Amino acid sequence: MDDPRDELKAGDAERADAPDFEALAPPEEAVHGDRTRDDFLDAVLALDSPATAGEVADLAGHGVDAAREYLSWFERMGVVTKATNSPATYERNQEYLNWRRVQRLRREYTTEELIGLLEEESERATALRREFDADDPTDVAIAARAEATDRSIEAVWERLAAWQTALRRVALLERALAAESGDAADRRSAV
Amino acid sequence: MSGGAGDESDSPSGAPVDFDRLDAIRERFATDDRFSRVDGEPAGAPDRLVCVYNDRFYPGRVRAARLEVVWYENGDFSIHYHEEYEAGAFDHRWDRHPSDHNARDHVHPGPDAPTPGDDASHPPDWRDVLSGALSEVEARQRAFWEE
């Protein structure tokens, strides 16, 4: 990255109060979590295909024994699922991560707020469905779409990712609301 | 198996924002002295993280600076550094996504992050991508205070 232009730099008077960059955590530390568990969680979050304990160990920067231990714990928790047995490979379990987010939505928002968020996201998803004139984003191929509509690949990629994201949020919010009404029914039947 | 570095992660129709990865980043940057605050809207499932740099790292002529981070479930990402002045701005972007005119990994360099940008090869590990961006920003911040 270029250095700033001279006229933007600190003046002589300002330079007396120059910040102490040495006091900052080094960038490599700033992006890592504090615990070994964070390193393994980071590693499995980045998996886009099944990986062995050895591969996960490399990604996490720890030994393979630790990787086996964490993977088996993550598997019990649901963070990863076993993809194959021999060799044992694991993959990120998006279903579990979604479930955990649904729990959080329920904890942090009232039913009214969830309904409001769902309306917003549904509108966004509907607008994107109209824009693409397709039922589902997976029906749309980025490159072909860009060529057919004379738009840049980046522009189509960005809109399509926005659509995928809106649909994901709709699904999460719907599940959070379904769980809410389920609870209400439970409470009523318990009375 | 990969951190999403190559074309093998190319999804023909994109992928949703990786809310979980953004949460991990938010958790770490929230306690980092570089940033005065880290916002992620909409609530509950962030589209992108807006990481506002602490203004003590900049001379008075710089009004504000921030790093906007977005990651997707297939490993695509876009990290955008933005500085604002009285008159003008500085923008620099590190990207991994399908494109007409660049490799999947590319950079849109400052001061105005032009399209097309420069082809690049970002590290396979997402944490290395992020720390690389922080390092480059820090080098620029330090240069503000040099004679």
Side-chain angles (χ1 to χ4, degrees):
Chain A
M1 198 186 308
D2 285 349
D3 281 356
R5 297 197 314 270
D6 282 343
E7 67 268 27
L8 293 168
K9 290 187 178 182
D12 290 337
E14 270 185 310
R15 215 172 289 124
D17 297 318
D20 180 11
F21 288 100
E22 304 308 321
L24 285 173
E28 310 78 59
E29 281 174 31
V31 301
H32 281 80
D34 296 330
R35 295 175 298 171
T36 307
R37 176 188 166 279
D38 295 328
D39 294 334
F40 280 107
L41 192 60
D42 287 354
V44 299
L45 281 182
L47 295 180
D48 50 26
S49 57
T52 63
E55 288 165 333
V56 171
D58 282 349
L59 278 171
H62 293 279
V64 71
D65 286 343
R68 285 202 190 91
E69 217 165 284
Y70 274 97
L71 282 167
S72 117
W73 179 41
F74 285 167
E75 191 190 2
R76 287 198 301 276
M77 279 171 61
V79 177
V80 298
T81 46
K82 212 179 227 176
T84 60
N85 268 318
S86 180
T89 60
Y90 299 84
E91 59 192 346
R92 165 174 167 155
N93 184 6
Q94 190 59 44
E95 271 312 301
Y96 167 77
L97 295 168
N98 292 349
W99 175 84
R100 201 172 61 166
R101 194 162 294 277
V102 166
Q103 304 306 311
R104 226 172 77 187
L105 285 168
R106 292 181 54 195
R107 206 166 53 234
E108 293 176 7
Y109 298 93
T110 66
T111 302
E112 287 69 31
E113 286 168 333
L114 289 173
I115 291 171
L117 289 168
L118 178 59
E119 278 170 2
E120 262 172 52
E121 285 307 322
S122 302
E123 277 168 29
R124 194 172 302 174
T126 305
L128 283 155
R129 191 172 66 219
R130 270 198 217 104
E131 181 182 321
F132 280 96
D133 192 25
D135 289 333
D136 192 273
T138 55
D139 296 340
V140 183
I142 293 176
R145 179 76 186 187
E147 200 177 329
T149 55
D150 202 22
R151 285 197 297 171
S152 75
I153 283 182
E154 290 90 324
V156 175
W157 164 76
E158 199 172 12
R159 300 297 288 163
L160 212 43
W163 189 11
Q164 299 257 21
T165 304
L167 288 179
R168 171 63 58 80
R169 250 197 227 105
V170 165
L172 294 172
L173 289 161
E174 279 176 343
R175 277 174 65 181
L177 279 162
E180 293 273 337
S181 59
D183 279 2
D186 289 348
R187 278 197 293 275
R188 274 196 302 276
S189 60
V191 171
Chain B
M1 195 300 307
S2 92
D7 288 337
E8 77 276 7
S9 69
D10 194 352
S11 154
S13 39
V17 166
D18 188 344
F19 304 132
D20 300 287
R21 198 168 342 199
L22 291 189
D23 277 349
I25 298 169
R26 169 153 59 179
E27 216 171 86
R28 283 157 214 179
F29 284 4
T31 55
D32 193 292
D33 292 337
R34 283 174 179 75
F35 303 110
S36 58
R37 54 171 222 276
V38 179
D39 300 328
E41 292 295 326
D47 258 335
R48 58 182 53 230
L49 293 184
V50 181
C51 313
V52 180
Y53 271 101
N54 195 314
D55 58 15
R56 74 188 157 95
F57 296 112
Y58 296 90
R61 290 179 186 86
V62 180
R63 197 184 275 164
R66 64 174 188 266
L67 197 66
E68 293 195 5
V69 180
V70 55
W71 235 284
Y72 298 89
E73 279 177 19
N74 65 351
D76 283 355
F77 66 82
S78 182
I79 302 174
H80 182 177
Y81 175 65
H82 177 79
E83 264 170 28
E84 266 173 50
Y85 326 117
E86 191 71 37
F90 177 92
D91 289 281
H92 185 105
R93 257 175 30 227
W94 300 261
D95 282 351
R96 171 178 294 152
H97 61 75
S99 142
D100 286 312
H101 33 63
N102 282 112
R104 193 173 186 84
D105 279 9
H106 56 277
V107 168
H108 300 276
D112 51 0
T115 299
D118 302 332
D119 291 350
S121 178
H122 301 305
D125 189 314
W126 61 278
R127 295 158 300 182
D128 295 339
V129 172
L130 208 50
S131 70
L134 290 188
S135 296
E136 285 193 54
V137 172
E138 189 175 315
R140 182 172 163 87
Q141 289 172 331
R142 285 173 184 262
F144 273 108
W145 303 92
E146 283 158 10
E147 299 211 30

